[in-house]
Amino acid sequence: MDDRWEWAAPLLVDPGLRGFLEAWHGDGELPRPNPEVFPDYIADLRDLDVSTLGRRPDHLEELLTEVALGSPAVLAARTLRSAGLEDDARRRAGVRLAEAFWGLFNRPAVISLLDQLARGETDTSREEGFYWRQVLRYCIAGNLQAVLDESWHLMWEQRAWSDTADRTALAEACAKDLAEQVQPPVARVHAHFYKTSDVGAIERDELRIRTTFALRFGDIRTEDGNFTQDRVREAFNSPFRPFVLTSTSVGQEGLDFHPWCHRLIHWDLPGNPVDLEQREGRIHRYKGHAVRRNVAAAHHAEALGQWRPGDDPWQLIFDLAHRAARAAGASDLVPHWLAAGDWRVQRHVPLLPFSKEVAVFQRLKRQLAAYRVVFGQPRQEELMTLLENADLDTALLRDWAVDLTPRS
């Protein structure tokens, strides 16, 4: 049995791969994992005489199937086909994304996580210690292909609205941004603990924690240099960790967190309904997370039946949802801003029983209904105070609210 089949088979499956590998060898812009031995890898593939290969391993078909379904490079190249790029352009962007995943899965914390997931299994990857097989199966189990398709759709739509733009340059920019989201920077968090000494003095103890996925929202210093608020926001707006963002009132205006978030926890309540609307408006926007989940639940089966290689599955889903909304006479907010279904933008307010925040929250909800009534009216604050003091039913206030929904 000749084990060289494991790394030689892709050359036979993809005839254009050999030429790309040779071009990659001389391209100084593309990343090179293990740069000290990378030229030797390319030389071995270039000089391989297929006729000298011996008997194929029995597990070769299974291996190629796992690579096709779980290799980040293959999945990225497949996703990028919807951008209408040439094969080598897709491979170049795929290399950038694969290098990001290569760095992520080689982090000690991630290796430990995958090793814990593999404990108790009896597959050959665990028995023989093949970590890369664990990575492939982890990507398959997590459906990384679907994750990349959805992420790419959101990124590509933001940039590729012009018919005259260079699609290859746009694809490389999208791949670069997505690669940065895959690997959040390693930072340090300083936790402070306070206690009272024997003489009544306040003592402070500091614990420095090295974080692999957690980031504080703000301008912070990481092990690789400074990390701005914009980079933290971009890292959060991805299907990859970190999944939780904690922010003060700094993050309640002008920042969008809707692509991969539909839950908002108010650690403390704002002082007025305008700020409450601003906070919740950060996750209730165009093609938000909850909207996409509802649209996908309603139209994924039909879209899957129409999908062909090279199609953007999410464009198909939204096209179907758009046609269904127009046929039903729904407003133009459906389906891109609003979509019926089980998923909603969720508001969580951790309240202590009998605390003053219980009354504050009830007052805010009434003020919010009144605020929507006085929206666009002169002397809004005075009118809102009158409505609040009139002790009107909330349902009645909603009937009086200004409706800015576009006509169907």
Side-chain angles (χ1 to χ4, degrees):
M1 185 174 65
D2 193 341
D3 290 336
R4 291 182 300 169
W5 278 100
E6 293 185 354
W7 53 269
L11 292 176
L12 303 179
V13 176
D14 184 357
L17 184 58
R18 184 186 295 271
F20 174 74
L21 290 175
E22 294 180 351
W24 185 5
H25 180 264
D27 191 336
E29 296 182 359
L30 283 176
R32 298 184 179 188
N34 292 332
E36 65 279 358
V37 294
F38 180 79
D40 295 334
Y41 292 156
I42 300 300
D44 288 343
L45 287 170
R46 182 180 60 238
D47 300 337
L48 175 67
D49 184 358
V50 180
S51 63
T52 63
L53 293 175
R55 178 173 171 269
R56 298 177 184 176
D58 295 335
H59 64 277
L60 183 61
E61 292 182 0
E62 178 185 356
L63 173 62
L64 290 178
T65 302
E66 289 183 353
V67 170
L69 297 177
S71 166
V74 175
L75 302 184
R78 188 178 297 130
T79 293
L80 267 63
R81 189 172 179 182
S82 64
L85 305 177
E86 297 293 334
D87 289 346
D88 280 352
R90 290 193 295 117
R91 292 188 179 104
R92 287 178 60 88
V95 164
R96 295 191 183 279
L97 285 174
E99 195 269 342
F101 281 104
W102 182 83
L104 174 68
F105 285 119
N106 276 318
R107 290 185 175 183
V110 179
I111 294 174
S112 178
L113 288 173
L114 265 64
D115 188 62
Q116 291 180 37
L117 291 175
R119 288 177 183 174
E121 298 181 1
T122 58
D123 57 75
T124 56
S125 66
R126 176 63 184 166
E127 292 174 355
E128 301 177 12
F130 290 162
Y131 174 66
W132 60 273
R133 295 292 294 273
Q134 293 181 21
V135 170
L136 288 178
R137 295 177 183 182
Y138 178 79
C139 293
I140 295 172
N143 202 348
L144 182 59
Q145 181 71 76
V147 174
L148 291 177
D149 287 342
E150 191 170 359
S151 301
W152 185 262
H153 172 79
L154 296 176
M155 283 193 168
W156 185 253
E157 187 179 48
Q158 293 177 5
R159 290 176 169 85
W161 50 267
S162 174
D163 294 335
T164 59
D166 185 345
R167 301 178 72 86
T168 300
L170 291 178
E172 291 183 354
C174 290
K176 179 178 180 295
D177 290 346
L178 187 55
E180 291 179 351
Q181 293 178 1
V182 171
Q183 295 188 84
V186 177
R188 294 186 181 276
V189 176
H190 295 184
H192 301 286
F193 301 91
Y194 297 89
K195 63 180 180 179
T196 304
S197 66
D198 296 337
V199 296
I202 302 297
E203 297 180 350
R204 187 182 76 169
D205 188 19
E206 182 179 86
L207 177 64
R208 298 185 178 184
I209 305 172
R210 186 176 186 268
T211 63
T212 301
F213 298 115
L215 291 174
R216 177 175 58 85
F217 183 63
D219 295 325
I220 60 178
R221 180 176 295 277
T222 65
E223 295 184 356
D224 299 329
N226 292 331
F227 202 68
T228 64
Q229 290 185 17
D230 289 340
R231 289 287 306 280
V232 177
R233 175 179 55 82
E234 292 170 0
F236 179 78
N237 283 336
S238 76
F240 313 107
R241 294 177 184 272
F243 294 144
V244 177
L245 179 134
T246 303
S247 170
T248 62
S249 57
V250 174
Q252 75 181 25
E253 294 185 16
L255 298 174
D256 296 335
F257 301 112
H258 64 285
W260 296 98
C261 178
H262 67 274
R263 297 185 182 95
L264 180 68
I265 299 177
H266 295 275
W267 185 252
D268 61 343
L269 290 170
N272 57 75
V274 178
D275 288 345
L276 187 68
E277 286 273 76
Q278 287 286 352
R279 286 188 184 183
E280 298 182 356
R282 300 306 97 213
I283 61 173
H284 193 181
R285 306 187 71 80
Y286 175 81
K287 284 190 179 181
H289 193 217
V291 169
R292 296 201 311 277
R293 298 191 77 159
N294 286 331
V295 171
H299 302 283
H300 73 278
E302 187 178 0
L304 182 61
Q306 296 183 13
W307 181 87
R308 296 294 181 270
D311 291 341
D312 181 348
W314 280 96
Q315 189 61 50
L316 284 175
I317 289 175
F318 272 100
D319 287 345
L320 292 170
H322 177 78
R323 290 197 292 268
R326 303 291 76 76
S331 77
D332 286 348
L333 291 177
V334 181
H336 297 89
W337 290 82
L338 300 173
D342 297 333
W343 300 96
R344 298 285 191 276
V345 172
Q346 299 178 14
R347 171 203 296 156
H348 298 278
V349 182
L351 298 176
L352 291 174
F354 307 109
S355 67
K356 66 178 182 180
E357 287 193 335
V358 174
V360 171
F361 186 43
Q362 294 299 325
R363 174 178 58 82
L364 268 177
K365 289 194 292 185
R366 288 188 54 80
Q367 287 182 341
L368 188 60
Y371 167 70
R372 290 168 180 167
V373 173
V374 304
F375 186 79
Q377 303 296 323
R379 304 176 72 172
Q380 295 182 10
E381 293 185 3
E382 296 179 15
L383 182 56
M384 190 166 65
T385 301
L386 289 173
L387 291 174
E388 184 181 2
N389 294 334
D391 196 23
L392 297 173
D393 184 75
T394 303
L396 181 60
L397 291 175
R398 289 174 179 168
D399 290 338
W400 290 355
V402 178
D403 186 2
L404 298 178
T405 304
R407 295 182 178 182
S408 60

